Amino acid sequence: GSLHQKMGNYELALPLLEEALEAQRRTLGEEAADTLRTISNIAMLHLRTGNFSLSLPLAEKALAVRQRTLGKEHADTLSSIDNLGLLRWHMAHGEYVSFHAAEAYKGTCELKDLECAKELLAEAVKGRSKVLGKAHHLTLESVRALGYAERRIDELRSSAVHTRQHKDISTEPPLVKRCRRRYA
Protein backbone atom coordinates (compact mmCIF):
# COMPACT_ATOMS: atom_id res chain seq x y z
CA GLY A 1 0.00 0.00 0.00
CA SER A 2 2.75 2.49 0.86
CA LEU A 3 4.42 2.01 -2.53
CA HIS A 4 1.16 2.75 -4.34
CA GLN A 5 0.68 5.79 -2.10
CA LYS A 6 4.15 7.12 -2.94
CA MET A 7 3.43 6.62 -6.64
CA GLY A 8 0.14 8.52 -6.36
CA ASN A 9 -2.03 5.43 -6.90
CA TYR A 10 -4.33 6.30 -4.00
CA GLU A 11 -7.24 4.12 -5.11
CA LEU A 12 -4.96 1.08 -5.06
CA ALA A 13 -3.19 2.11 -1.86
CA LEU A 14 -6.19 2.62 0.41
CA PRO A 15 -7.61 -0.92 0.47
CA LEU A 16 -4.13 -2.38 0.95
CA LEU A 17 -3.36 -0.01 3.81
CA GLU A 18 -6.73 -0.70 5.43
CA GLU A 19 -6.13 -4.45 5.16
CA ALA A 20 -2.68 -4.05 6.71
CA LEU A 21 -4.14 -1.93 9.50
CA GLU A 22 -6.72 -4.56 10.41
CA ALA A 23 -4.04 -7.27 10.49
CA GLN A 24 -1.76 -5.08 12.61
CA ARG A 25 -4.54 -4.28 15.06
CA ARG A 26 -5.28 -8.00 15.45
CA THR A 27 -1.70 -9.17 15.79
CA LEU A 28 0.24 -6.20 17.21
CA GLY A 29 -2.39 -4.13 18.97
CA GLU A 30 -3.76 -0.63 18.52
CA GLU A 31 -0.73 1.14 19.98
CA ALA A 32 2.11 -0.73 18.26
CA ALA A 33 4.56 1.41 16.28
CA ASP A 34 3.73 -0.34 13.00
CA THR A 35 -0.01 0.06 13.59
CA LEU A 36 0.41 3.77 14.28
CA ARG A 37 2.58 4.17 11.19
CA THR A 38 -0.16 2.64 9.06
CA ILE A 39 -2.79 4.87 10.70
CA SER A 40 -0.58 7.86 9.92
CA ASN A 41 -0.09 6.68 6.32
CA ILE A 42 -3.84 6.38 5.84
CA ALA A 43 -4.31 9.87 7.31
CA MET A 44 -1.78 11.28 4.84
CA LEU A 45 -3.42 9.43 1.96
CA HIS A 46 -6.73 11.06 2.86
CA LEU A 47 -4.92 14.41 3.06
CA ARG A 48 -3.55 13.96 -0.48
CA THR A 49 -7.03 13.20 -1.81
CA GLY A 50 -8.60 16.15 0.01
CA ASN A 51 -10.60 14.03 2.46
CA PHE A 52 -9.69 16.17 5.44
CA SER A 53 -12.59 14.99 7.59
CA LEU A 54 -11.21 11.45 7.34
CA SER A 55 -7.59 12.51 7.71
CA LEU A 56 -7.84 14.70 10.80
CA PRO A 57 -9.12 12.15 13.37
CA LEU A 58 -6.56 9.57 12.22
CA ALA A 59 -3.70 12.06 12.36
CA GLU A 60 -4.76 13.26 15.79
CA LYS A 61 -5.09 9.69 17.07
CA ALA A 62 -1.59 8.80 15.84
CA LEU A 63 -0.19 11.90 17.54
CA ALA A 64 -1.99 11.35 20.85
CA VAL A 65 -0.92 7.72 21.16
CA ARG A 66 2.65 8.47 20.06
CA GLN A 67 2.96 11.28 22.59
CA ARG A 68 1.71 9.01 25.35
CA THR A 69 3.68 5.89 24.42
CA LEU A 70 6.85 7.29 22.81
CA GLY A 71 7.16 10.74 24.34
CA LYS A 72 7.08 14.21 22.84
CA GLU A 73 10.59 14.10 21.40
CA HIS A 74 10.46 10.77 19.57
CA ALA A 75 10.99 10.99 15.80
CA ASP A 76 7.61 9.33 15.11
CA THR A 77 5.82 11.78 17.41
CA LEU A 78 7.52 14.67 15.63
CA SER A 79 6.40 13.23 12.29
CA SER A 80 2.82 13.21 13.58
CA ILE A 81 3.13 16.86 14.62
CA ASP A 82 4.52 17.73 11.19
CA ASN A 83 1.72 15.77 9.49
CA LEU A 84 -0.91 17.69 11.45
CA GLY A 85 0.76 20.96 10.46
CA LEU A 86 0.62 19.93 6.81
CA LEU A 87 -3.00 18.87 7.18
CA ARG A 88 -3.92 22.23 8.72
CA TRP A 89 -2.12 23.99 5.80
CA HIS A 90 -4.34 22.19 3.30
CA MET A 91 -7.47 22.59 5.41
CA ALA A 92 -6.81 26.35 5.52
CA HIS A 93 -7.01 26.39 1.72
CA GLY A 94 -10.08 24.17 1.66
CA GLU A 95 -8.37 21.80 -0.75
CA TYR A 96 -5.05 20.10 -1.33
CA VAL A 97 -2.62 22.85 -2.38
CA SER A 98 0.97 21.77 -2.89
CA PHE A 99 3.71 24.11 -1.77
CA HIS A 100 4.86 24.39 -5.38
CA ALA A 101 1.43 25.76 -6.35
CA ALA A 102 0.97 27.87 -3.22
CA GLU A 103 2.31 31.10 -4.63
CA ALA A 104 0.02 30.89 -7.65
CA TYR A 105 -3.01 29.88 -5.56
CA LYS A 106 -5.75 32.49 -5.91
CA GLY A 107 -8.51 30.91 -3.82
CA THR A 108 -9.63 31.95 -0.38
CA CYS A 109 -7.79 30.86 2.70
CA GLU A 110 -8.54 30.74 6.41
CA LEU A 111 -5.95 32.72 8.35
CA LYS A 112 -6.68 31.04 11.70
CA ASP A 113 -6.14 27.59 10.20
CA LEU A 114 -2.84 28.76 8.73
CA GLU A 115 -1.77 30.09 12.11
CA CYS A 116 -2.55 26.68 13.60
CA ALA A 117 -0.49 25.05 10.84
CA LYS A 118 2.37 27.46 11.57
CA GLU A 119 2.27 26.60 15.29
CA LEU A 120 2.41 22.86 14.60
CA LEU A 121 5.13 23.18 11.97
CA ALA A 122 7.21 25.38 14.29
CA GLU A 123 6.88 22.69 16.97
CA ALA A 124 8.01 20.07 14.43
CA VAL A 125 11.01 22.19 13.41
CA LYS A 126 12.04 22.73 17.04
CA GLY A 127 11.71 19.05 17.94
CA ARG A 128 13.31 17.72 14.77
CA SER A 129 16.21 20.17 15.08
CA LYS A 130 16.87 18.90 18.59
CA VAL A 131 16.34 15.19 17.92
CA LEU A 132 17.50 14.77 14.33
CA GLY A 133 19.72 17.81 13.86
CA LYS A 134 19.26 20.98 11.84
CA ALA A 135 20.70 19.49 8.65
CA HIS A 136 18.53 16.34 8.62
CA HIS A 137 16.28 16.12 5.56
CA LEU A 138 13.11 15.79 7.68
CA THR A 139 14.04 18.89 9.68
CA LEU A 140 14.67 20.77 6.44
CA GLU A 141 11.28 19.65 5.07
CA SER A 142 9.61 21.04 8.19
CA VAL A 143 11.58 24.28 7.88
CA ARG A 144 10.46 24.62 4.26
CA ALA A 145 6.80 23.96 5.15
CA LEU A 146 6.97 26.46 8.01
CA GLY A 147 8.41 29.05 5.62
CA TYR A 148 5.49 28.59 3.23
CA ALA A 149 2.99 28.93 6.07
CA GLU A 150 4.68 32.09 7.35
CA ARG A 151 4.75 33.64 3.85
CA ARG A 152 1.11 32.78 3.23
CA ILE A 153 0.11 34.29 6.59
CA ASP A 154 2.00 37.49 5.72
CA GLU A 155 0.23 37.61 2.33
CA LEU A 156 -3.16 37.16 3.95
CA ARG A 157 -2.54 39.78 6.58
CA SER A 158 -1.72 42.29 3.86
CA SER A 159 -4.83 41.45 1.82
CA ALA A 160 -8.49 40.62 2.30
CA VAL A 161 -8.31 37.07 0.94
CA HIS A 162 -9.07 35.25 4.20
CA THR A 163 -12.82 35.47 3.74
CA ARG A 164 -13.84 31.82 4.04
CA GLN A 165 -16.60 31.44 6.60
CA HIS A 166 -15.77 29.82 9.92
CA LYS A 167 -17.43 26.45 10.37
CA ASP A 168 -19.04 25.29 13.56
CA ILE A 169 -16.10 24.31 15.77
CA SER A 170 -18.13 22.55 18.45
CA THR A 171 -17.65 19.20 16.69
CA GLU A 172 -13.96 19.64 15.91
CA PRO A 173 -11.25 17.54 17.60
CA PRO A 174 -9.44 19.01 20.65
CA LEU A 175 -6.23 19.96 18.81
CA VAL A 176 -8.18 21.97 16.26
CA LYS A 177 -10.20 23.65 19.00
CA ARG A 178 -6.98 24.50 20.86
CA CYS A 179 -5.49 26.10 17.77
CA ARG A 180 -8.68 28.04 17.06
CA ARG A 181 -8.95 29.27 20.68
CA ARG A 182 -5.34 30.36 20.67
CA TYR A 183 -5.87 32.55 17.60
CA ALA A 184 -9.40 33.74 18.27
Side-chain angles (χ1 to χ4, degrees), residues 12-47:
L12 296 174
L14 184 58
L16 295 172
L17 288 170
E18 288 174 338
E19 184 180 328
L21 179 59
E22 288 309 311
Q24 289 167 333
R25 283 178 167 153
R26 266 192 328 275
T27 59
L28 303 174
E30 189 68 30
E31 296 185 354
D34 288 340
T35 306
L36 294 171
R37 191 169 299 109
T38 302
I39 289 170
S40 186
N41 285 341
I42 293 171
M44 296 310 287
L45 184 147
H46 287 308
L47 178 153

Side-chain angles (χ1 to χ4, degrees), residues 108-110 113 162-168 180:
T108 60
C109 194
E110 178 59 58
D113 287 340
H162 57 283
T163 58
R164 239 175 8 117
Q165 293 294 319
H166 292 284
K167 63 181 182 174
D168 177 14
R180 284 194 182 278

Side-chain angles (χ1 to χ4, degrees), residues 80-132:
S80 286
I81 293 167
D82 188 73
N83 288 347
L84 273 172
L86 297 175
L87 176 57
R88 298 303 295 168
W89 159 270
H90 297 293
M91 290 176 75
H93 292 85
E95 61 184 298
Y96 182 87
V97 176
S98 72
F99 292 124
H100 300 294
E103 294 187 24
Y105 181 76
K106 300 296 180 200
T108 60
C109 194
E110 178 59 58
L111 180 61
K112 290 180 182 181
D113 287 340
L114 276 178
E115 289 171 333
C116 183
K118 176 185 169 185
E119 176 185 324
L120 290 162
L121 292 168
E123 189 176 339
V125 167
K126 181 180 175 185
R128 283 179 163 177
S129 294
K130 181 178 178 181
V131 174
L132 304 174

Side-chain angles (χ1 to χ4, degrees), residues 128-152:
R128 283 179 163 177
S129 294
K130 181 178 178 181
V131 174
L132 304 174
K134 291 181 179 183
H136 192 278
H137 72 97
L138 293 175
T139 304
L140 296 174
E141 285 180 16
S142 295
V143 167
R144 186 183 75 143
L146 176 60
Y148 277 107
E150 290 172 337
R151 282 191 295 281
R152 188 72 172 137

